[in-house]
Amino acid sequence: MFEGFTKETGEFLWELRFNNERPWFLAHKEQYERCLNRPFRALAQESWRLLSERYPERDFRVHVSRIYRDARRLFGRGPYKDHLWFSLYTSDKNEGPSFWFEIGAAGYTYGLGFWSMRPALMERFRRAVDANPARFERLARQAEALPGLRLLGEEYRRPKGDRGELLNRWYNRKYLTMEFSGDFGGDLFSPALAQILCGAYGSLMPMHDFLAEVWEAAREEERE
């Protein structure tokens, strides 16, 4: 059962950032398990359980990141990550729309996005918006009305089209991410964090379902 992170969790992550080497980590392995790994995995499992109970027809799965970097991709950054994340997804290989939560030394983020957003997928997204702009406008207004939500994603230098002020914010991006964020503390220390996350994910579920439709349509086109 998730009981909340602690001040020690943040202190450990800061220390790891500045001591990212195997001897230091091994000397603090018990601390890592106690204040970060075990509560993080408990949060991931509880969030998955709550979301699955609320939306049983969607067959959500959970993926939890490991703290160990891929040895082929160290690039001088040390063998350990100074952040952990988990994702909740329904698509194959976790490449479709996913809910996520991430914790780092300075704070945390969570929201909805794609791990793999190819240009062809964004083209399919724009075609879906064009096919029913009124539907997507409703979804965009619902999402933008959520307190604290930020829309992220690099914008094209040359817009793909002019669909009005509201839709342009979504339409002319290379990828889409909807993110909530907070400083280290507050809800991170609350045993109710999984319920808070599940509530936010539920608020974004209509947008998730739209993006899932786009994802499936793009995959079908690739198969053809």
Side-chain angles (χ1 to χ4, degrees):
M1 177 180 295
F2 178 72
E3 298 179 351
F5 294 105
T6 64
K7 183 180 178 181
E8 184 185 12
T9 310
E11 292 172 347
F12 173 84
L13 286 165
W14 278 117
E15 288 291 327
L16 177 61
R17 177 174 292 186
F18 293 107
N19 298 278
N20 201 321
E21 54 190 21
R22 180 176 171 79
W24 184 92
F25 184 81
L26 291 179
H28 294 80
K29 185 70 174 294
E30 190 281 329
Q31 183 186 19
Y32 157 70
E33 291 290 345
R34 183 186 69 253
C35 73
L36 179 58
N37 192 41
R38 284 198 291 267
F40 185 80
R41 289 182 175 277
L43 176 64
Q45 289 300 317
E46 189 169 335
S47 299
W48 169 78
R49 177 181 60 80
L50 290 172
L51 199 64
S52 297
E53 289 175 353
R54 187 170 178 178
Y55 302 99
E57 72 285 358
R58 287 175 173 79
D59 188 26
F60 276 102
R61 284 156 276 176
V62 60
H63 175 80
V64 182
S65 69
R66 301 172 71 246
I67 199 167
Y68 307 99
R69 293 190 193 277
D70 187 331
R72 299 167 297 178
R73 298 179 174 85
L74 294 182
F75 305 116
R77 295 180 295 174
Y80 306 103
K81 302 168 187 169
D82 59 4
H83 60 279
L84 288 178
W85 54 266
F86 67 77
S87 60
L88 299 163
Y89 63 99
T90 59
S91 59
D92 294 340
K93 299 181 181 179
N94 196 14
E95 293 182 347
S98 302
F99 296 111
W100 92 90
F101 170 85
E102 180 176 303
I103 185 172
Y108 62 101
T109 63
Y110 59 95
L112 171 65
F114 282 88
W115 294 115
S116 177
M117 181 67 90
R118 300 182 297 275
L121 182 58
M122 285 306 294
E123 173 60 28
R124 189 65 185 80
F125 164 77
R126 287 187 290 272
R127 283 159 51 196
V129 173
D130 290 340
N132 194 341
R135 177 193 177 192
F136 190 77
E137 183 173 334
R138 289 194 299 272
L139 296 175
R141 290 190 186 280
Q142 290 172 7
E144 292 189 10
L146 297 174
L149 184 73
R150 295 189 302 161
L151 176 62
L152 305 176
E154 182 182 357
E155 297 186 42
Y156 285 101
R157 292 184 180 180
R158 295 182 178 179
K160 295 295 183 178
D162 184 358
R163 299 297 182 270
E165 182 179 356
L166 172 62
L167 293 187
N168 283 349
R169 290 195 289 271
W170 301 75
Y171 195 88
N172 291 307
R173 294 182 186 271
K174 295 182 180 180
Y175 62 92
L176 292 173
T177 300
M178 287 141 273
E179 177 185 283
F180 299 93
S181 63
D183 296 331
F184 204 96
D187 289 340
L188 282 183
F189 298 164
S190 172
L193 180 56
Q195 288 91 333
I196 294 170
L197 296 179
C198 189
Y201 299 152
S203 297
L204 289 169
M205 193 62 71
M207 183 64 76
H208 170 277
D209 291 346
F210 179 87
L211 295 178
E213 291 175 18
V214 170
W215 170 257
E216 289 299 329
R219 290 190 64 198
E220 185 62 29
E221 289 179 357
E222 289 178 358
R223 285 192 290 266
E224 293 176 354

